[in-house]
Amino acid sequence: MTDDGRRHERLPDPEWRVLESEVEYDTGWFTGGYDLVEQPNGTTKRYYWAELATAVVVVAVADDHVVFVEQYRPNIRQTQLELPAGVVEKGESFTDAGLRELREETGFAADSASVIGDVWCSTGVLRHRRGFVFAEGLTPVERDLDDNEFLSVRAVPVEEAIERATEPPTNDATVEGVLLARDEGLL
């Protein structure tokens, strides 16, 4: 397992026998490789994967508004309205990471935070776990953006949050976070 200061999840013992596990590249941001697996019918196959550090997504509400960030995503060449999110540092809980990311990206400190979801993402190709945190009781503080974060904070009325979260272009983390919060009765 990579020790890069970020949280990575330990995988359980495999149900299918792994004959070989190879890392083919490591970019410092993600690791990629394959497991050579013996399938139930006795054949073998390489299952390719990319591992990303564990992440957190924050659904924060203040004054009947959901806090979003708007930022350009060079990978898809589009500007997106997203929920605040980021990597969980080694030893951090989802709530601690969520409070830190909210403060850094939006300039809001929260009085409380709770986990509303925890999922493995794109399991056909990724080894990536994502937690969703609900935060409230927001107080303005100083932002502390990373050197690659060029984002604007946007407040969206709660009653419009689902509509805005699903407008193209959107991403899975934003849609999932808003829907989880709605299903928990928080929006």
Side-chain angles (χ1 to χ4, degrees), residues 58 60-62 65-72 79-85 101-109 138-145 149-157 164:
V58 184
V61 175
H65 285 73
V66 177
V67 178
F68 285 88
V69 293
E70 186 174 67
Q71 62 185 321
Y72 178 71
T79 298
Q80 294 201 297
L81 188 67
E82 304 174 352
L83 293 173
E101 286 293 340
L102 179 66
R103 188 176 50 257
E104 289 174 0
E105 292 187 359
T106 69
F108 285 109
L138 306 187
T139 305
V141 295
E142 180 101 12
R143 287 197 321 172
D144 184 20
L145 297 173
E149 289 179 319
F150 304 93
L151 45 87
S152 302
V153 179
R154 304 280 184 253
V156 176
R164 292 295 308 275

mmCIF file of all heavy atoms in Angstrom, residues 58 60-62 65-72 79-85 101-109 138-145 149-157 164:
data_model
loop_
_atom_site.group_PDB
_atom_site.id
_atom_site.type_symbol
_atom_site.label_atom_id
_atom_site.label_comp_id
_atom_site.label_asym_id
_atom_site.label_seq_id
_atom_site.Cartn_x
_atom_site.Cartn_y
_atom_site.Cartn_z
ATOM 1 N N VAL A 58 -18.442 17.163 0.585
ATOM 2 C CA VAL A 58 -19.157 17.864 1.655
ATOM 3 C C VAL A 58 -20.438 18.512 1.138
ATOM 4 O O VAL A 58 -20.405 19.294 0.184
ATOM 5 C CB VAL A 58 -18.266 18.958 2.287
ATOM 6 C CG1 VAL A 58 -18.986 19.622 3.465
ATOM 7 C CG2 VAL A 58 -16.930 18.384 2.722
ATOM 8 N N ALA A 60 -22.790 21.097 2.510
ATOM 9 C CA ALA A 60 -22.852 22.087 3.580
ATOM 10 C C ALA A 60 -24.046 23.008 3.347
ATOM 11 O O ALA A 60 -24.262 23.472 2.224
ATOM 12 C CB ALA A 60 -21.567 22.903 3.626
ATOM 13 N N VAL A 61 -24.778 23.269 4.419
ATOM 14 C CA VAL A 61 -25.985 24.100 4.308
ATOM 15 C C VAL A 61 -25.912 25.248 5.307
ATOM 16 O O VAL A 61 -25.560 25.063 6.469
ATOM 17 C CB VAL A 61 -27.259 23.267 4.570
ATOM 18 C CG1 VAL A 61 -28.494 24.141 4.568
ATOM 19 C CG2 VAL A 61 -27.389 22.168 3.514
ATOM 20 N N ALA A 62 -26.243 26.450 4.792
ATOM 21 C CA ALA A 62 -26.332 27.650 5.629
ATOM 22 C C ALA A 62 -27.457 28.523 5.091
ATOM 23 O O ALA A 62 -27.548 28.743 3.883
ATOM 24 C CB ALA A 62 -25.019 28.421 5.612
ATOM 25 N N HIS A 65 -29.377 27.460 2.050
ATOM 26 C CA HIS A 65 -28.597 27.387 0.809
ATOM 27 C C HIS A 65 -27.546 26.277 0.935
ATOM 28 O O HIS A 65 -26.960 26.091 2.005
ATOM 29 C CB HIS A 65 -27.885 28.701 0.515
ATOM 30 C CG HIS A 65 -28.786 29.761 0.005
ATOM 31 N ND1 HIS A 65 -29.700 30.416 0.816
ATOM 32 C CD2 HIS A 65 -28.926 30.280 -1.229
ATOM 33 C CE1 HIS A 65 -30.366 31.300 0.096
ATOM 34 N NE2 HIS A 65 -29.912 31.236 -1.165
ATOM 35 N N VAL A 66 -27.313 25.573 -0.165
ATOM 36 C CA VAL A 66 -26.245 24.581 -0.238
ATOM 37 C C VAL A 66 -25.010 25.286 -0.805
ATOM 38 O O VAL A 66 -25.107 26.049 -1.767
ATOM 39 C CB VAL A 66 -26.640 23.390 -1.141
ATOM 40 C CG1 VAL A 66 -25.494 22.396 -1.264
ATOM 41 C CG2 VAL A 66 -27.893 22.698 -0.606
ATOM 42 N N VAL A 67 -23.861 25.028 -0.199
ATOM 43 C CA VAL A 67 -22.613 25.646 -0.633
ATOM 44 C C VAL A 67 -21.977 24.775 -1.719
ATOM 45 O O VAL A 67 -21.681 23.598 -1.494
ATOM 46 C CB VAL A 67 -21.641 25.805 0.547
ATOM 47 C CG1 VAL A 67 -20.323 26.403 0.083
ATOM 48 C CG2 VAL A 67 -22.266 26.671 1.638
ATOM 49 N N PHE A 68 -21.795 25.358 -2.891
ATOM 50 C CA PHE A 68 -21.132 24.701 -4.013
ATOM 51 C C PHE A 68 -19.853 25.467 -4.334
ATOM 52 O O PHE A 68 -19.678 26.608 -3.917
ATOM 53 C CB PHE A 68 -22.022 24.745 -5.274
ATOM 54 C CG PHE A 68 -23.186 23.794 -5.259
ATOM 55 C CD1 PHE A 68 -24.399 24.167 -4.698
ATOM 56 C CD2 PHE A 68 -23.085 22.543 -5.846
ATOM 57 C CE1 PHE A 68 -25.487 23.311 -4.706
ATOM 58 C CE2 PHE A 68 -24.164 21.679 -5.868
ATOM 59 C CZ PHE A 68 -25.374 22.055 -5.295
ATOM 60 N N VAL A 69 -18.987 24.840 -5.114
ATOM 61 C CA VAL A 69 -17.837 25.528 -5.694
ATOM 62 C C VAL A 69 -17.927 25.348 -7.204
ATOM 63 O O VAL A 69 -18.421 24.333 -7.695
ATOM 64 C CB VAL A 69 -16.484 25.011 -5.160
ATOM 65 C CG1 VAL A 69 -16.332 25.353 -3.691
ATOM 66 C CG2 VAL A 69 -16.308 23.531 -5.388
ATOM 67 N N GLU A 70 -17.492 26.356 -7.912
ATOM 68 C CA GLU A 70 -17.474 26.288 -9.367
ATOM 69 C C GLU A 70 -16.013 26.330 -9.801
ATOM 70 O O GLU A 70 -15.263 27.204 -9.357
ATOM 71 C CB GLU A 70 -18.241 27.473 -9.951
ATOM 72 C CG GLU A 70 -18.406 27.408 -11.450
ATOM 73 C CD GLU A 70 -19.293 28.538 -11.946
ATOM 74 O OE1 GLU A 70 -18.859 29.708 -11.846
ATOM 75 O OE2 GLU A 70 -20.404 28.243 -12.402
ATOM 76 N N GLN A 71 -15.629 25.355 -10.620
ATOM 77 C CA GLN A 71 -14.245 25.322 -11.053
ATOM 78 C C GLN A 71 -14.101 24.647 -12.413
ATOM 79 O O GLN A 71 -14.901 23.803 -12.786
ATOM 80 C CB GLN A 71 -13.356 24.639 -10.027
ATOM 81 C CG GLN A 71 -13.661 23.192 -9.732
ATOM 82 C CD GLN A 71 -12.779 22.659 -8.613
ATOM 83 O OE1 GLN A 71 -11.604 22.978 -8.520
ATOM 84 N NE2 GLN A 71 -13.357 21.852 -7.742
ATOM 85 N N TYR A 72 -13.069 25.060 -13.109
ATOM 86 C CA TYR A 72 -12.745 24.475 -14.404
ATOM 87 C C TYR A 72 -12.009 23.166 -14.167
ATOM 88 O O TYR A 72 -11.083 23.095 -13.364
ATOM 89 C CB TYR A 72 -11.869 25.431 -15.220
ATOM 90 C CG TYR A 72 -11.462 24.875 -16.555
ATOM 91 C CD1 TYR A 72 -12.394 24.736 -17.575
ATOM 92 C CD2 TYR A 72 -10.159 24.472 -16.801
ATOM 93 C CE1 TYR A 72 -12.029 24.217 -18.813
ATOM 94 C CE2 TYR A 72 -9.777 23.966 -18.034
ATOM 95 C CZ TYR A 72 -10.728 23.830 -19.032
ATOM 96 O OH TYR A 72 -10.361 23.311 -20.248
ATOM 97 N N THR A 79 -16.201 23.693 -17.124
ATOM 98 C CA THR A 79 -16.405 24.274 -15.800
ATOM 99 C C THR A 79 -17.608 23.586 -15.183
ATOM 100 O O THR A 79 -18.636 23.409 -15.835
ATOM 101 C CB THR A 79 -16.642 25.791 -15.905
ATOM 102 O OG1 THR A 79 -15.458 26.381 -16.472
ATOM 103 C CG2 THR A 79 -16.922 26.407 -14.555
ATOM 104 N N GLN A 80 -17.451 23.212 -13.923
ATOM 105 C CA GLN A 80 -18.512 22.486 -13.238
ATOM 106 C C GLN A 80 -18.890 23.144 -11.920
ATOM 107 O O GLN A 80 -18.035 23.717 -11.242
ATOM 108 C CB GLN A 80 -18.061 21.060 -12.927
ATOM 109 C CG GLN A 80 -17.837 20.223 -14.160
ATOM 110 C CD GLN A 80 -17.892 18.760 -13.823
ATOM 111 O OE1 GLN A 80 -17.083 18.280 -13.059
ATOM 112 N NE2 GLN A 80 -18.871 18.080 -14.378
ATOM 113 N N LEU A 81 -20.162 23.020 -11.585
ATOM 114 C CA LEU A 81 -20.658 23.388 -10.267
ATOM 115 C C LEU A 81 -20.620 22.107 -9.448
ATOM 116 O O LEU A 81 -21.260 21.118 -9.810
ATOM 117 C CB LEU A 81 -22.079 23.935 -10.370
ATOM 118 C CG LEU A 81 -22.660 24.525 -9.094
ATOM 119 C CD1 LEU A 81 -21.897 25.795 -8.708
ATOM 120 C CD2 LEU A 81 -24.130 24.835 -9.271
ATOM 121 N N GLU A 82 -19.832 22.120 -8.373
ATOM 122 C CA GLU A 82 -19.587 20.905 -7.602
ATOM 123 C C GLU A 82 -19.738 21.163 -6.110
ATOM 124 O O GLU A 82 -19.678 22.298 -5.659
ATOM 125 C CB GLU A 82 -18.158 20.405 -7.826
ATOM 126 C CG GLU A 82 -17.792 20.160 -9.249
ATOM 127 C CD GLU A 82 -16.319 19.817 -9.428
ATOM 128 O OE1 GLU A 82 -15.533 19.921 -8.455
ATOM 129 O OE2 GLU A 82 -15.963 19.443 -10.542
ATOM 130 N N LEU A 83 -19.860 20.091 -5.371
ATOM 131 C CA LEU A 83 -19.758 20.183 -3.925
ATOM 132 C C LEU A 83 -18.275 20.252 -3.556
ATOM 133 O O LEU A 83 -17.431 19.697 -4.264
ATOM 134 C CB LEU A 83 -20.391 18.957 -3.276
ATOM 135 C CG LEU A 83 -21.903 18.831 -3.437
ATOM 136 C CD1 LEU A 83 -22.385 17.488 -2.896
ATOM 137 C CD2 LEU A 83 -22.635 19.971 -2.746
ATOM 138 N N PRO A 84 -17.935 20.927 -2.462
ATOM 139 C CA PRO A 84 -16.543 20.934 -2.010
ATOM 140 C C PRO A 84 -16.089 19.494 -1.753
ATOM 141 O O PRO A 84 -16.868 18.676 -1.249
ATOM 142 C CB PRO A 84 -16.592 21.728 -0.703
ATOM 143 C CG PRO A 84 -17.863 22.508 -0.765
ATOM 144 C CD PRO A 84 -18.815 21.698 -1.590
ATOM 145 N N ALA A 85 -14.854 19.198 -2.093
ATOM 146 C CA ALA A 85 -14.364 17.822 -1.956
ATOM 147 C C ALA A 85 -12.848 17.822 -1.927
ATOM 148 O O ALA A 85 -12.202 18.793 -2.316
ATOM 149 C CB ALA A 85 -14.868 16.977 -3.120
ATOM 150 N N GLU A 101 -11.614 20.409 4.306
ATOM 151 C CA GLU A 101 -11.822 20.769 2.896
ATOM 152 C C GLU A 101 -12.837 21.900 2.750
ATOM 153 O O GLU A 101 -12.651 22.801 1.938
ATOM 154 C CB GLU A 101 -12.268 19.547 2.084
ATOM 155 C CG GLU A 101 -11.167 18.559 1.807
ATOM 156 C CD GLU A 101 -10.084 19.072 0.871
ATOM 157 O OE1 GLU A 101 -10.314 20.037 0.112
ATOM 158 O OE2 GLU A 101 -8.989 18.489 0.878
ATOM 159 N N LEU A 102 -13.901 21.870 3.543
ATOM 160 C CA LEU A 102 -14.906 22.934 3.499
ATOM 161 C C LEU A 102 -14.262 24.278 3.838
ATOM 162 O O LEU A 102 -14.456 25.268 3.126
ATOM 163 C CB LEU A 102 -16.049 22.623 4.468
ATOM 164 C CG LEU A 102 -17.160 23.660 4.549
ATOM 165 C CD1 LEU A 102 -17.930 23.738 3.239
ATOM 166 C CD2 LEU A 102 -18.100 23.327 5.713
ATOM 167 N N ARG A 103 -13.481 24.295 4.899
ATOM 168 C CA ARG A 103 -12.811 25.525 5.336
ATOM 169 C C ARG A 103 -11.821 26.012 4.263
ATOM 170 O O ARG A 103 -11.815 27.176 3.892
ATOM 171 C CB ARG A 103 -12.095 25.247 6.659
ATOM 172 C CG ARG A 103 -11.516 26.445 7.349
ATOM 173 C CD ARG A 103 -10.904 26.104 8.718
ATOM 174 N NE ARG A 103 -9.994 24.967 8.688
ATOM 175 C CZ ARG A 103 -10.284 23.723 9.121
ATOM 176 N NH1 ARG A 103 -11.469 23.455 9.638
ATOM 177 N NH2 ARG A 103 -9.395 22.751 9.037
ATOM 178 N N GLU A 104 -11.005 25.095 3.744
ATOM 179 C CA GLU A 104 -9.984 25.482 2.761
ATOM 180 C C GLU A 104 -10.604 26.004 1.464
ATOM 181 O O GLU A 104 -10.170 27.017 0.934
ATOM 182 C CB GLU A 104 -9.087 24.278 2.436
ATOM 183 C CG GLU A 104 -8.157 23.888 3.563
ATOM 184 C CD GLU A 104 -7.386 22.605 3.284
ATOM 185 O OE1 GLU A 104 -7.565 21.991 2.201
ATOM 186 O OE2 GLU A 104 -6.607 22.215 4.164
ATOM 187 N N GLU A 105 -11.603 25.282 0.948
ATOM 188 C CA GLU A 105 -12.156 25.621 -0.367
ATOM 189 C C GLU A 105 -13.195 26.732 -0.352
ATOM 190 O O GLU A 105 -13.308 27.482 -1.312
ATOM 191 C CB GLU A 105 -12.766 24.383 -1.028
ATOM 192 C CG GLU A 105 -11.740 23.356 -1.423
ATOM 193 C CD GLU A 105 -12.316 22.215 -2.233
ATOM 194 O OE1 GLU A 105 -13.541 22.190 -2.502
ATOM 195 O OE2 GLU A 105 -11.525 21.329 -2.621
ATOM 196 N N THR A 106 -13.985 26.815 0.721
ATOM 197 C CA THR A 106 -15.109 27.761 0.711
ATOM 198 C C THR A 106 -14.952 28.912 1.680
ATOM 199 O O THR A 106 -15.668 29.900 1.568
ATOM 200 C CB THR A 106 -16.437 27.044 1.041
ATOM 201 O OG1 THR A 106 -16.425 26.638 2.417
ATOM 202 C CG2 THR A 106 -16.667 25.851 0.119
ATOM 203 N N GLY A 107 -14.071 28.765 2.673
ATOM 204 C CA GLY A 107 -13.962 29.803 3.689
ATOM 205 C C GLY A 107 -15.082 29.729 4.708
ATOM 206 O O GLY A 107 -15.434 30.735 5.308
ATOM 207 N N PHE A 108 -15.601 28.524 4.954
ATOM 208 C CA PHE A 108 -16.612 28.324 5.992
ATOM 209 C C PHE A 108 -16.148 27.244 6.961
ATOM 210 O O PHE A 108 -15.713 26.168 6.542
ATOM 211 C CB PHE A 108 -17.958 27.877 5.408
ATOM 212 C CG PHE A 108 -18.720 28.986 4.738
ATOM 213 C CD1 PHE A 108 -18.860 29.002 3.357
ATOM 214 C CD2 PHE A 108 -19.313 30.002 5.474
ATOM 215 C CE1 PHE A 108 -19.555 30.010 2.718
ATOM 216 C CE2 PHE A 108 -20.013 31.022 4.848
ATOM 217 C CZ PHE A 108 -20.133 31.024 3.472
ATOM 218 N N ALA A 109 -16.251 27.543 8.248
ATOM 219 C CA ALA A 109 -16.055 26.540 9.292
ATOM 220 C C ALA A 109 -17.439 26.074 9.713
ATOM 221 O O ALA A 109 -18.375 26.879 9.747
ATOM 222 C CB ALA A 109 -15.319 27.149 10.479
ATOM 223 N N LEU A 138 -22.529 27.089 9.740
ATOM 224 C CA LEU A 138 -21.361 27.647 9.066
ATOM 225 C C LEU A 138 -21.032 29.063 9.529
ATOM 226 O O LEU A 138 -21.918 29.887 9.723
ATOM 227 C CB LEU A 138 -21.576 27.648 7.556
ATOM 228 C CG LEU A 138 -21.950 26.314 6.899
ATOM 229 C CD1 LEU A 138 -21.959 26.447 5.392
ATOM 230 C CD2 LEU A 138 -21.031 25.202 7.342
ATOM 231 N N THR A 139 -19.731 29.308 9.684
ATOM 232 C CA THR A 139 -19.196 30.613 10.051
ATOM 233 C C THR A 139 -18.100 30.975 9.052
ATOM 234 O O THR A 139 -17.233 30.141 8.774
ATOM 235 C CB THR A 139 -18.568 30.559 11.462
ATOM 236 O OG1 THR A 139 -19.540 30.065 12.375
ATOM 237 C CG2 THR A 139 -18.087 31.919 11.902
ATOM 238 N N PRO A 140 -18.111 32.213 8.519
ATOM 239 C CA PRO A 140 -17.047 32.606 7.574
ATOM 240 C C PRO A 140 -15.669 32.612 8.240
ATOM 241 O O PRO A 140 -15.521 33.081 9.372
ATOM 242 C CB PRO A 140 -17.440 34.025 7.151
ATOM 243 C CG PRO A 140 -18.881 34.156 7.497
ATOM 244 C CD PRO A 140 -19.125 33.260 8.672
ATOM 245 N N VAL A 141 -14.679 32.072 7.526
ATOM 246 C CA VAL A 141 -13.274 32.081 7.950
ATOM 247 C C VAL A 141 -12.426 32.337 6.693
ATOM 248 O O VAL A 141 -12.949 32.462 5.596
ATOM 249 C CB VAL A 141 -12.849 30.743 8.617
ATOM 250 C CG1 VAL A 141 -13.594 30.523 9.918
ATOM 251 C CG2 VAL A 141 -13.027 29.569 7.664
ATOM 252 N N GLU A 142 -11.132 32.392 6.867
ATOM 253 C CA GLU A 142 -10.215 32.595 5.737
ATOM 254 C C GLU A 142 -10.090 31.313 4.911
ATOM 255 O O GLU A 142 -9.922 30.233 5.466
ATOM 256 C CB GLU A 142 -8.840 32.984 6.287
ATOM 257 C CG GLU A 142 -7.801 33.225 5.243
ATOM 258 C CD GLU A 142 -7.586 34.696 4.986
ATOM 259 O OE1 GLU A 142 -8.081 35.532 5.761
ATOM 260 O OE2 GLU A 142 -6.926 34.989 3.990
ATOM 261 N N ARG A 143 -10.152 31.443 3.584
ATOM 262 C CA ARG A 143 -9.922 30.289 2.698
ATOM 263 C C ARG A 143 -8.434 29.988 2.625
ATOM 264 O O ARG A 143 -7.603 30.874 2.830
ATOM 265 C CB ARG A 143 -10.427 30.564 1.275
ATOM 266 C CG ARG A 143 -11.914 30.550 1.179
ATOM 267 C CD ARG A 143 -12.490 30.402 -0.197
ATOM 268 N NE ARG A 143 -11.829 31.103 -1.279
ATOM 269 C CZ ARG A 143 -12.137 30.943 -2.556
ATOM 270 N NH1 ARG A 143 -13.087 30.120 -2.920
ATOM 271 N NH2 ARG A 143 -11.505 31.611 -3.496
ATOM 272 N N ASP A 144 -8.108 28.750 2.287
ATOM 273 C CA ASP A 144 -6.722 28.326 2.148
ATOM 274 C C ASP A 144 -6.636 27.377 0.955
ATOM 275 O O ASP A 144 -6.538 26.161 1.114
ATOM 276 C CB ASP A 144 -6.240 27.644 3.430
ATOM 277 C CG ASP A 144 -4.773 27.271 3.375
ATOM 278 O OD1 ASP A 144 -4.038 27.845 2.548
ATOM 279 O OD2 ASP A 144 -4.371 26.391 4.173
ATOM 280 N N LEU A 145 -6.694 27.937 -0.251
ATOM 281 C CA LEU A 145 -6.735 27.137 -1.472
ATOM 282 C C LEU A 145 -5.370 26.541 -1.790
ATOM 283 O O LEU A 145 -4.335 27.152 -1.551
ATOM 284 C CB LEU A 145 -7.185 27.999 -2.650
ATOM 285 C CG LEU A 145 -8.607 28.572 -2.560
ATOM 286 C CD1 LEU A 145 -8.851 29.546 -3.704
ATOM 287 C CD2 LEU A 145 -9.636 27.452 -2.562
ATOM 288 N N GLU A 149 -6.019 25.138 -7.134
ATOM 289 C CA GLU A 149 -7.451 25.363 -6.952
ATOM 290 C C GLU A 149 -7.795 26.800 -7.343
ATOM 291 O O GLU A 149 -7.372 27.746 -6.677
ATOM 292 C CB GLU A 149 -7.865 25.091 -5.507
ATOM 293 C CG GLU A 149 -7.837 23.621 -5.167
ATOM 294 C CD GLU A 149 -8.233 23.343 -3.725
ATOM 295 O OE1 GLU A 149 -7.809 24.089 -2.816
ATOM 296 O OE2 GLU A 149 -8.970 22.369 -3.519
ATOM 297 N N PHE A 150 -8.559 26.906 -8.403
ATOM 298 C CA PHE A 150 -9.060 28.191 -8.879
ATOM 299 C C PHE A 150 -10.567 28.044 -8.910
ATOM 300 O O PHE A 150 -11.144 27.618 -9.912
ATOM 301 C CB PHE A 150 -8.491 28.496 -10.278
ATOM 302 C CG PHE A 150 -6.991 28.480 -10.310
ATOM 303 C CD1 PHE A 150 -6.299 27.329 -10.648
ATOM 304 C CD2 PHE A 150 -6.275 29.615 -9.973
ATOM 305 C CE1 PHE A 150 -4.914 27.311 -10.671
ATOM 306 C CE2 PHE A 150 -4.887 29.609 -9.989
ATOM 307 C CZ PHE A 150 -4.201 28.450 -10.337
ATOM 308 N N LEU A 151 -11.201 28.349 -7.800
ATOM 309 C CA LEU A 151 -12.635 28.097 -7.712
ATOM 310 C C LEU A 151 -13.367 29.246 -7.056
ATOM 311 O O LEU A 151 -12.790 30.025 -6.314
ATOM 312 C CB LEU A 151 -12.910 26.779 -6.987
ATOM 313 C CG LEU A 151 -12.143 26.467 -5.703
ATOM 314 C CD1 LEU A 151 -12.847 27.048 -4.507
ATOM 315 C CD2 LEU A 151 -12.016 24.970 -5.569
ATOM 316 N N SER A 152 -14.646 29.301 -7.370
ATOM 317 C CA SER A 152 -15.533 30.318 -6.807
ATOM 318 C C SER A 152 -16.591 29.629 -5.979
ATOM 319 O O SER A 152 -17.059 28.545 -6.329
ATOM 320 C CB SER A 152 -16.216 31.096 -7.926
ATOM 321 O OG SER A 152 -15.270 31.690 -8.769
ATOM 322 N N VAL A 153 -16.982 30.248 -4.892
ATOM 323 C CA VAL A 153 -18.015 29.710 -4.015
ATOM 324 C C VAL A 153 -19.370 30.199 -4.502
ATOM 325 O O VAL A 153 -19.539 31.382 -4.809
ATOM 326 C CB VAL A 153 -17.776 30.143 -2.552
ATOM 327 C CG1 VAL A 153 -18.856 29.602 -1.637
ATOM 328 C CG2 VAL A 153 -16.386 29.703 -2.098
ATOM 329 N N ARG A 154 -20.343 29.285 -4.575
ATOM 330 C CA ARG A 154 -21.701 29.604 -5.017
ATOM 331 C C ARG A 154 -22.692 29.042 -4.002
ATOM 332 O O ARG A 154 -22.586 27.879 -3.616
ATOM 333 C CB ARG A 154 -22.010 28.997 -6.388
ATOM 334 C CG ARG A 154 -21.055 29.392 -7.496
ATOM 335 C CD ARG A 154 -21.399 30.774 -8.024
ATOM 336 N NE ARG A 154 -20.558 31.123 -9.144
ATOM 337 C CZ ARG A 154 -19.580 32.011 -9.103
ATOM 338 N NH1 ARG A 154 -19.325 32.656 -7.995
ATOM 339 N NH2 ARG A 154 -18.862 32.277 -10.163
ATOM 340 N N ALA A 155 -23.644 29.844 -3.596
ATOM 341 C CA ALA A 155 -24.715 29.405 -2.704
ATOM 342 C C ALA A 155 -25.975 29.184 -3.542
ATOM 343 O O ALA A 155 -26.381 30.065 -4.295
ATOM 344 C CB ALA A 155 -24.970 30.439 -1.623
ATOM 345 N N VAL A 156 -26.550 28.003 -3.413
ATOM 346 C CA VAL A 156 -27.738 27.642 -4.182
ATOM 347 C C VAL A 156 -28.864 27.337 -3.201
ATOM 348 O O VAL A 156 -28.660 26.552 -2.261
ATOM 349 C CB VAL A 156 -27.459 26.401 -5.068
ATOM 350 C CG1 VAL A 156 -28.701 25.944 -5.788
ATOM 351 C CG2 VAL A 156 -26.339 26.703 -6.069
ATOM 352 N N PRO A 157 -30.051 27.941 -3.379
ATOM 353 C CA PRO A 157 -31.164 27.623 -2.491
ATOM 354 C C PRO A 157 -31.408 26.112 -2.429
ATOM 355 O O PRO A 157 -31.311 25.415 -3.453
ATOM 356 C CB PRO A 157 -32.352 28.340 -3.128
ATOM 357 C CG PRO A 157 -31.736 29.468 -3.909
ATOM 358 C CD PRO A 157 -30.436 28.914 -4.420
ATOM 359 N N ARG A 164 -29.841 21.962 -9.826
ATOM 360 C CA ARG A 164 -28.522 22.490 -10.207
ATOM 361 C C ARG A 164 -27.470 21.379 -10.244
ATOM 362 O O ARG A 164 -26.598 21.375 -11.104
ATOM 363 C CB ARG A 164 -28.074 23.588 -9.246
ATOM 364 C CG ARG A 164 -28.879 24.871 -9.313
ATOM 365 C CD ARG A 164 -28.766 25.619 -10.640
ATOM 366 N NE ARG A 164 -27.423 25.893 -11.093
ATOM 367 C CZ ARG A 164 -26.694 26.936 -10.733
ATOM 368 N NH1 ARG A 164 -27.173 27.832 -9.908
ATOM 369 N NH2 ARG A 164 -25.465 27.097 -11.198
#
